[in-house]
Each structure stands twice: as structure tokens, then as C-alpha cells.
Amino acid sequence: MARSKRKVAKALTVKTENKLSSPSDHIDKRKTPELILAFCGPVGSGVSHVADITAKIFEEFKYDVESIKISNFIKKYYPEYNNKKIGEKNYSKRIQILQEGGNCLRDKYDNDILAQLSIQDIAEKRHDVNIIEEKQVVPKERRHITIIDSLKHPDEVRLLKKVYGEMFHLFGVLCPENTRANRLHIHKDISMEDASKIIEKDKSEKDGHGQQLLDTILYADFFIRNTERNNKELDSAIRRYCLQIMEDYTITPTHNEYAMFIAYASSLLSGCLSRQVGAAIVKDGDIIATGRNDVPKFGGGLYVCNDKNDQRCFQRRGEECSSDLYKNKILETIRHELGGLPSDLLENVYEKITDKTGIKSLIEFSRAIHAEMDAITTAARLGKNATQDAELFCTTYPCHHCARHIVAAGIKTVYYIEPYEKSLAFKLHDDSIDSGLDDGANKNDKLKILPFEGVAPRRFVQLFRFKNRKAIKKNQKPLTQRTPLADKIMDRYTDFEIYVLKYLEQTVKQRPESKQLNLPS
């Protein structure tokens, strides 16, 4: 072992006249201040406006800002965009062709092709050379930020995250659908009919190469509710997240961020085969009950992993989801009843029935109680009859079954992250539920269901955990010189291995007594 260490050390022999800093200090100095910020949000939510505000804030922090418009790649590489004559003010046609172009490029190449083009742009501007040659380019420190506006597919986020790690942050911009439709109608002169079509296409398309905004926004590190608030309020909300990225130790969680984190933590208890959903009921700042979607058990509550007789679906010999099981039985019955039709006509009619009637969206047959219901029944079971005027935080928009119980329980506000397209909550209970306008525009006689704003629950611990605020306060540099919270290193781990061996070699030369420790010589 000692002989092999000596061989490695000799192979790495270099001049060591200058004393090397300790390996730990050297690695700390190789942390990069560079950042990649991407933005995503539904059409009409004002993503570009939020991105512009963010860019100006980082300019105040003495960052060089570079902006990438994803739409420019589509215009450049989708020939049909330039072939089709679009009137200067025909925003409706322009948006539709950009949607079509993005889908076409993803279909022709990869789902993350627009992220690949973004990475190429970032890399070439950093090195100002063709870096495709197979040679190691030693990265240099630069106080630079790239703003990417805007992502529409989860594979784009996944690639950027894999390449840039903690350098990368995603901002999700949320806004109620009716507000977005009105913006497109008033500010872009798009008819309400066309606005609805554009918004629907933007959400989620059946084709895997199509836009998947609803899935993309779930990867966000920060959620911003861009409704009718003024620019000062919006700037304040965005600035708070920018300061967190720059490790501002004075920022602590809001009431809403903490509550949503508890809801998210509750979702992780779920063993549901379909999805994990969590909820938390809050009254006067206190968590009074939590819930998750899972199978109820006799005596109250839901099954958990340490129950001796765990009867959740995945424990019952891999039994398929009961909801899918019974929906498939209905579909089999329909196919059987259509059996007298010619085969080609049968398939056509069957496909229309399954796609157009909403059968696939039925939620009646699940064995699991939903997270919101679990939280409400938990409060009742424990005698905490304090749901009147409480708030409910849920990782997913409530379904219509839960919505009516939430209304009946006297809860005044629901905050959610993930949309739920199957929900008919507002359509069935528009007399009791507000569709989600801005806080100031809501009436007090209806349940408010609002998109969550704040730090994403999955980033909660990283952004709010400070081991020693006193030490940070004492040593923290001004914002114009500060590096981000993320520990993104510019070098490979193999580079640091070589540095440590060099440091060991220097130690032996400078400290003869180290030979007693059998260090490499």
C-alpha cells in the first residue's frame, strides 16, 4: 500500500516552492459565484416581466447578466416561423406558431433540445471559443448570471439541473387562468376564444414532445404569484428569493412556507400507487392537523409502514390501483356493449367515448382517502374543532370531493402547488368557492383557492438551515462581493485528489517528522 502511494506521489511531482493552502481552503476558493436562473409559467402569467425584475436585482449585486430567450431558438431553428407571414400585432398567431415550433423541435430531436441549445449558448459565451474539442478547459471564476426565459418541458429542467447542479435555480410564476386570459385579451388584443385555446395547449399536451408546463413548474425552487399586485410588491417578493440565493442569514420562513413544508413532509408518508399528496390545516399560525392520501384503517387514521397488518394497495401482492381497476371494468363493459359494431367503427366509437366522456378522470373508486379529507377527519377525531376560518395547505389543488368538505368545515383559504385537471371544484361549487383571483379582489363570503407563493418545500431545509448565524454575520461580505449559498465547485473531484496528493508531498518535504506517520515520500 505504501509503495503504491509513493508511485502515485512521484507521478504527480511538481514544484512546490510556494506553500499550498490546505485542501479544504483550496476547495472553498474554487466555489463558483456563477448562477443559472430559469423561469417557467403559463402563457399570460408575466414570466418575462418577472425575469426582467430578477435580472435588475442581480445587476445591483454586481453580476454580469446574460439573457436567453427560448423563443429565439424556435424562431431560428423552426423554418415555418419565418415562412409564415405573421402580422406585427398578430400575437395570437405568433404564440400558436411558437408553441407548434417548440413541439416540432422536441419531436425531431430530443425533449430537452431547447435546454441543449441554451447550454451551448452559455458555454460558448463563457469561453468565447469552440469548446467541442476534447480537451479540458480550466474554468475561471466569473461573477455572471444567465437568465433563461422560459422553459416548458420537464426534460429541459432535468438536463439543466444535471449539468449545473446547485448553480441552477428555477422560478415558477403562477397566475389564475381567468387573469391570464384577460391579460391576453386586453394587452395582446387576442380574442377570449383564442386565449382559451392557447392557455389549454400551454398546460399539457398528450404528445410527450408537446408542452408540459404543469409538470415543469413542479420542479420550481421558488413560486411567485404574479397577479394584479404592483411592481413594488412584486420586486419585494422576488428580491427576497434573490437574497436567499446569496445566503442572507436574516431571512426566515414565512407562515405559508412553513405550513406548505409540513404538508409536503406529510405527503412523503403516503404509499399511494398514483401520487403522493400532503395537507396541513393551520389556525392562527399553529398546525392543528395534517393529512396525506392513503388507505384508512379500522379504529381511525391511515395505515403506516410499521403497522403489523398494512393493507395498502402496494402491500396486497402488488395489487393494481383500485381506481384503475374499476375504471377498466367500466371500459370493458362499454367495449362489450359495442361489440355488434364493425371492428373499425367500434374502435372509433370506443376511442371517442373514452377520450370525450371523462371516464378516465373518475376518482370515485380509490381506496385511499385524500390528504385534505385526512386532515379534516384527523382534526375531528382528535377533538380539535377549530377548522372554522382556518387555512388549508395542500401540495395539490383539491378535487371536487374534498372541496365540498373543505367548504363544509368552514375553512376560509386553500393554498396549493400542483394543479389538478380532474377537479370540478369551482364548476360544481361556484356559489361557495372563488376561482382564485388576487387576495385583494376576493370576496369574504367564499372559500379562496390560491396558488402557493414562496420557497418550494423541497428546498426548505437547504435555504433556511443556518448552523451559526453569529459566525455568518461576522464574516459575511457585502452583497456585491458575496458568493451564492450553493456549494457548486468549478473542478472535478479527480482534480482535488491530485491537489491533496501534492499537498501531502509538500508536507513531507517541509516537515521531516511526518515520516514517522508513514506519509508518502
Side-chain angles (χ1 to χ4, degrees):
M1 180 66 73
R3 185 177 300 171
S4 63
K5 285 184 178 179
R6 284 195 291 272
K7 286 183 178 180
V8 173
K10 287 179 181 178
L12 298 170
T13 301
V14 293
K15 294 181 180 180
T16 55
E17 289 85 356
N18 298 323
K19 185 176 180 180
L20 299 175
S21 58
S22 73
S24 182
D25 289 341
H26 172 73
I27 293 171
D28 284 340
K29 290 176 183 177
R30 295 299 291 163
K31 290 181 182 178
T32 178
E34 187 172 351
L35 289 166
I36 313 292
L37 302 190
F39 295 77
C40 70
V43 62
S45 60
V47 172
S48 296
H49 182 54
V50 171
D52 289 343
I53 292 175
T54 307
K56 290 177 182 177
I57 292 171
F58 273 95
E59 285 175 351
E60 293 177 22
F61 299 167
K62 300 302 179 184
Y63 266 84
D64 295 325
V65 178
E66 189 87 40
S67 294
I68 293 177
K69 288 273 191 182
I70 293 292
S71 59
N72 287 341
F73 293 134
I74 300 174
K75 293 175 185 177
K76 182 176 180 180
Y77 297 108
Y78 180 57
E80 291 299 313
Y81 183 87
N82 295 315
N83 294 341
K84 295 180 180 180
K85 294 182 179 180
I86 309 171
E88 185 179 342
K89 293 186 177 180
N90 193 344
Y91 293 105
S92 177
K93 189 67 174 177
R94 181 177 287 111
I95 293 172
Q96 291 179 52
I97 292 178
L98 286 173
Q99 289 177 328
E100 176 188 301
N103 294 352
C104 181
L105 290 172
R106 283 187 286 266
D107 184 32
K108 187 176 181 179
Y109 300 99
D110 299 297
N111 283 342
D112 57 10
I113 180 61
L114 296 172
Q116 293 178 34
L117 293 170
S118 300
I119 292 168
Q120 175 184 309
D121 191 69
I122 294 168
E124 289 182 347
K125 286 177 179 176
R126 177 188 295 112
H127 300 290
D128 198 26
V129 292
N130 184 351
I131 62 166
I132 297 178
E133 299 175 15
E134 292 186 9
K135 59 182 181 180
Q136 176 67 17
V137 179
V138 179
K140 297 180 180 179
E141 179 180 317
R142 67 174 190 163
R143 197 170 180 82
H144 186 92
I145 187 168
T146 303
I147 303 286
I148 303 176
D149 174 14
S150 62
L151 306 181
K152 293 290 185 179
H153 199 285
D155 285 355
E156 296 166 352
V157 180
R158 293 187 191 107
L159 179 61
L160 288 163
K161 189 69 176 175
K162 287 177 181 178
V163 172
Y164 296 110
E166 292 186 356
M167 286 168 59
F168 175 77
H169 297 270
L170 179 64
F171 285 70
V173 184
L174 302 171
C175 183
E177 187 172 313
N178 51 355
T179 303
R180 292 187 282 116
N182 286 330
R183 282 178 180 169
L184 292 175
H185 177 60
I186 296 171
H187 301 300
K188 302 296 184 181
D189 197 26
I190 297 175
S191 71
M192 291 301 288
E193 182 181 357
D194 283 349
S196 296
K197 290 179 182 178
I198 291 169
I199 287 172
E200 193 62 32
K201 186 179 180 67
D202 186 62
K203 285 181 186 176
S204 181
E205 297 178 284
K206 292 181 180 179
D207 185 349
H209 302 298
Q211 292 189 172
Q212 306 290 332
L213 188 277
L214 295 182
D215 290 335
T216 307
I217 207 165
L218 297 182
Y219 285 88
D221 301 299
F222 308 96
F223 294 100
I224 296 170
R225 194 163 65 243
N226 184 23
T227 48
E228 298 307 315
R229 69 211 306 184
N230 60 45
N231 279 341
K232 187 176 181 180
E233 291 176 329
L234 189 59
D235 179 278
S236 178
I238 298 170
R239 187 176 296 272
R240 178 175 179 267
Y241 305 139
C242 295
L243 288 171
Q244 282 184 286
I245 292 173
M246 300 306 291
E247 197 176 17
D248 190 317
Y249 68 92
T250 65
I251 298 174
T252 56
T254 65
H255 157 91
N256 286 14
E257 286 169 336
Y258 171 68
M260 190 59 82
F261 174 70
I262 296 299
Y264 172 76
S266 299
S267 76
L268 303 181
L269 288 170
S270 171
C272 182
L273 292 172
S274 299
R275 63 171 70 193
Q276 290 179 307
V277 182
I281 298 177
V282 180
K283 184 70 176 288
D284 298 328
D286 295 322
I287 308 292
I288 63 172
T290 60
R292 81 271 186 188
N293 60 323
D294 224 329
V295 179
K297 64 180 180 181
F298 174 74
L302 314 182
Y303 288 110
V304 292
C305 66
N306 55 343
D307 284 336
K308 292 182 180 179
N309 187 31
D310 188 346
Q311 289 294 307
R312 289 178 288 180
C313 296
F314 72 90
Q315 293 285 23
R316 298 173 69 157
R317 300 179 182 178
E319 182 180 317
E320 66 176 304
C321 174
S322 61
S323 181
D324 293 338
L325 179 68
Y326 283 95
K327 282 188 289 187
N328 288 336
K329 285 184 178 181
I330 293 175
L331 293 172
E332 288 171 10
T333 301
I334 291 172
R335 181 181 285 277
H336 176 74
E337 293 299 324
L338 296 173
L341 296 174
S343 59
D344 56 340
L345 181 59
L346 184 151
E347 290 303 322
N348 185 269
V349 173
Y350 177 77
E351 185 176 338
K352 285 186 176 180
I353 291 174
T354 55
D355 288 345
K356 303 295 184 182
T357 60
I359 289 175
K360 291 182 179 180
S361 297
L362 291 174
I363 56 176
E364 342 292 312
F365 308 114
S366 175
R367 294 180 66 232
I369 185 174
H370 288 189
E372 304 96 310
M373 287 293 295
D374 182 32
I376 291 171
T377 56
T378 296
R381 191 174 70 252
L382 299 179
K384 296 180 179 179
N385 56 344
T387 56
Q388 185 71 44
D389 295 328
E391 297 173 311
L392 188 145
F393 292 79
C394 193
T395 56
T396 301
Y397 188 97
C399 73
H400 39 277
H401 289 316
C402 290
R404 59 190 179 220
H405 290 88
I406 292 170
V407 171
I411 291 170
K412 65 178 182 179
T413 310
V414 172
Y415 294 95
Y416 69 94
I417 292 177
E418 182 179 355
Y420 189 52
E421 294 302 293
K422 296 179 182 180
S423 180
L424 300 175
F426 178 66
K427 291 181 179 179
L428 295 177
H429 301 285
D430 59 338
D431 59 312
S432 300
I433 299 176
D434 193 288
S435 60
L437 299 174
D438 190 28
D439 298 63
N442 274 280
K443 297 178 181 179
N444 294 324
D445 59 350
K446 289 187 179 183
L447 168 70
K448 295 183 290 185
I449 302 182
L450 301 171
F452 169 74
E453 179 174 65
V455 172
R458 60 189 185 84
R459 295 299 297 271
F460 187 90
V461 174
Q462 180 192 19
L463 291 173
F464 289 117
R465 183 174 180 268
F466 292 96
K467 293 181 179 179
N468 190 334
R469 277 189 165 87
K470 290 181 180 179
I472 295 173
K473 182 179 179 181
K474 182 179 179 180
N475 301 313
Q476 199 165 54
K477 296 178 180 178
L479 275 167
T480 53
Q481 302 173 23
R482 196 180 304 171
T483 55
L485 172 67
D487 291 337
K488 183 63 177 178
I489 306 296
M490 290 183 280
D491 306 314
R492 302 169 299 179
Y493 69 89
T494 51
D495 296 325
F496 293 130
E497 287 178 340
I498 292 171
Y499 185 89
V500 171
L501 291 174
K502 290 178 181 178
Y503 184 81
L504 277 170
E505 182 184 30
Q506 186 183 74
T507 299
V508 171
K509 288 182 178 180
Q510 295 179 347
R511 300 178 183 176
E513 68 275 11
S514 63
K515 292 183 178 180
Q516 299 174 6
L517 302 177
N518 198 28
L519 292 176
S521 60

